[in-house]
Amino acid sequence: MNAWLARPLRSLPRAPATGFLADAIAGLCHDAQKSLPPKYLYDELGSMLFDAITRLPEYGVWRAERRLLEAHAETIATASAADLVVELGSGSAEKTRTVLEALLAQRRVTYCPVEISRSALDASRHALDDLDGLLFRGIARDYLAGVDEALTIRDASQPALVLFLGSSLGNFDAEAGENFLRALRDRLKPGDFLLLGTDLDKPEPTLRAAYDDALGVTAAFNLNLLARMNRELGADFRLAHFRHRIEFDRSARNVEMHIESMRAQRVRFGEGDFEIDFAPGETIHTETSHKYSLDEIEALLPDCGFRRAEQWVDHEWGFATGLYIAD
Ligand code: AVI
């Protein structure tokens, strides 16, 4: 049984918690599996660490998708003929450049990266500064709120192209991922496009190396969540007493990232308002990365209102990129 405790230590009423603090209370202060939403991994340092992950020899996702986008950017541009590109979780937008260049060869393009990390938005603005004919409108919001904002500026005569790359869909649980695709489809018009990247299932040793690399970059990315709570929520996590841990759910084809407590310990956060007890070996679940099968993708997208126009597979790593039309 997990030891746990979370109690207000002050009697004075305070304003209700919102945002990160509210999610930390909801995710850490209960008897069941502790967890935090993966979006909190991406503060300024977390975004930089994720960027470093994409350069690791063990993490083939990023390079596989770049190979596919470089090979098929022109087809994507010609098929979609979009003048508005909305990218969800754009990060550094490095891979997007090829697609934007191919579109810009045909017309002016408005690019709306939707990204909760403002530092990543700034970096992508700089990186794309030299593209003639590109209007950059960064949106620092959650995905769907960002789509809503981006679509207010659309020119109804041209299709919009939504990019959801890097297999970020796999960071939702199955039901939430489906609901998300449906909610996205509801916001689009028939004839709009979705370019979706999905990481395919692969043997456990390959996945273990990808999510627990030899340099410890993924471990730092994960543990930065504790450091972030120390910085932003006045918590007193001692990082040396926790470690990065990977779990596999083979039947669900999920890789899970956890932070494991290496001893019994008590942590305070919320400027001393809350305390949590950890048992030795107890974990905080910080992210799920689902690994897809091609059959699964083929069933999922039509169910959510998207018809496949093209699909390309990188067999070197095992990654699929699909271009879909909103029905
Ligand atoms: C952003 N997302 C698709 C990455 C993934 O592979 O699930 C995040 C990541 N976590 C650990 N390494 C990379």
Side-chain angles (χ1 to χ4, degrees):
M1 184 68 186
N2 289 340
W4 70 277
L5 176 69
R7 59 169 182 252
L9 297 175
R10 292 172 205 263
S11 49
L12 284 177
R14 289 203 166 213
T18 55
F20 191 14
L21 179 59
D23 285 342
I25 294 167
L28 300 177
C29 302
H30 52 72
D31 200 358
Q33 170 68 62
K34 293 176 168 61
S35 67
L36 285 168
K39 68 178 180 181
Y40 293 113
L41 292 163
Y42 298 90
D43 65 345
E44 185 172 4
L45 181 55
S47 296
M48 291 169 92
L49 288 165
F50 177 65
D51 229 35
I53 288 173
T54 64
R55 266 77 173 165
L56 293 171
E58 297 98 324
Y59 191 78
V61 173
W62 195 85
R63 284 180 297 280
E65 189 167 53
R66 187 179 57 185
R67 283 192 289 275
L68 291 174
L69 295 183
E70 280 176 355
H72 303 291
E74 275 189 39
T75 310
I76 295 163
T78 311
S80 70
D83 67 351
L84 174 66
V85 175
V86 183
E87 180 167 8
L88 308 178
S90 47
S92 66
E94 221 178 302
K95 280 173 300 189
T96 315
R97 190 184 178 91
T98 358
V99 177
L100 293 175
E101 280 173 348
L103 285 164
L104 286 165
Q106 304 171 353
R107 60 181 56 76
R108 297 177 70 79
V109 171
T110 301
Y111 173 55
C112 298
V114 177
E115 171 58 63
I116 42 172
S117 161
R118 282 182 189 275
S119 55
L121 273 184
D122 289 344
S124 59
R125 180 190 294 274
H126 268 94
L128 300 172
D129 231 10
D130 60 317
L131 290 183
D132 278 344
L134 188 80
L135 181 64
F136 185 103
R137 297 251 322 230
I139 300 176
R141 309 189 74 163
D142 283 342
Y143 293 152
L144 290 175
V147 171
D148 286 336
E149 186 175 325
L151 291 176
T152 59
I153 58 155
R154 72 176 302 170
D155 163 5
S157 64
Q158 294 292 131
L161 169 63
V162 176
L163 308 181
F164 198 22
L165 305 180
S167 205
S168 294
L169 182 65
N171 296 139
F172 286 104
D173 70 40
E175 197 186 330
E178 257 188 74
N179 290 339
F180 175 77
L181 286 177
R182 291 210 173 93
L184 176 63
R185 169 61 196 89
D186 286 348
R187 286 160 166 82
L188 299 177
K189 292 217 204 111
D192 283 339
F193 286 83
L194 168 67
L195 187 71
L196 180 71
T198 43
D199 196 25
L200 301 178
D201 196 21
K202 39 191 70 65
E204 196 169 309
T206 310
L207 291 172
R208 178 169 292 285
Y211 288 86
D212 196 3
D213 58 281
L215 272 177
V217 181
T218 310
F221 171 67
N222 197 11
L223 291 169
N224 175 54
L225 202 43
L226 303 186
R228 181 174 182 184
M229 284 193 273
N230 288 350
R231 288 191 293 270
E232 295 181 23
L233 303 184
D236 61 359
F237 284 96
R238 278 166 296 176
L239 268 61
H241 297 169
F242 291 87
R243 70 176 163 213
H244 171 63
R245 191 167 111 191
I246 292 302
E247 297 279 337
F248 291 92
D249 181 341
R250 283 313 303 171
S251 59
R253 292 197 304 277
N254 288 341
V255 181
E256 291 180 2
M257 263 195 347
H258 290 253
I259 296 172
E260 179 185 349
S261 172
M262 296 194 299
R263 53 173 73 184
Q265 54 187 319
R266 174 168 294 175
V267 175
R268 287 187 173 199
F269 73 103
E271 275 140 42
D273 279 359
F274 298 95
E275 60 187 24
I276 323 162
D277 284 345
F278 286 91
E282 190 179 357
T283 71
I284 307 173
H285 178 199
T286 54
E287 183 190 67
T288 295
S289 276
H290 180 63
K291 302 301 162 192
Y292 292 85
S293 72
L294 288 174
D295 288 348
E296 178 185 5
I297 302 164
E298 198 163 334
L300 174 64
L301 273 292
D303 259 10
C304 300
F306 291 100
R307 179 166 36 95
R308 189 172 91 185
E310 301 275 0
Q311 186 183 61
W312 303 284
V313 176
D314 178 88
H315 294 285
E316 192 178 327
W317 172 257
F319 191 90
T321 295
L323 182 66
Y324 299 89
I325 307 175
D327 261 335

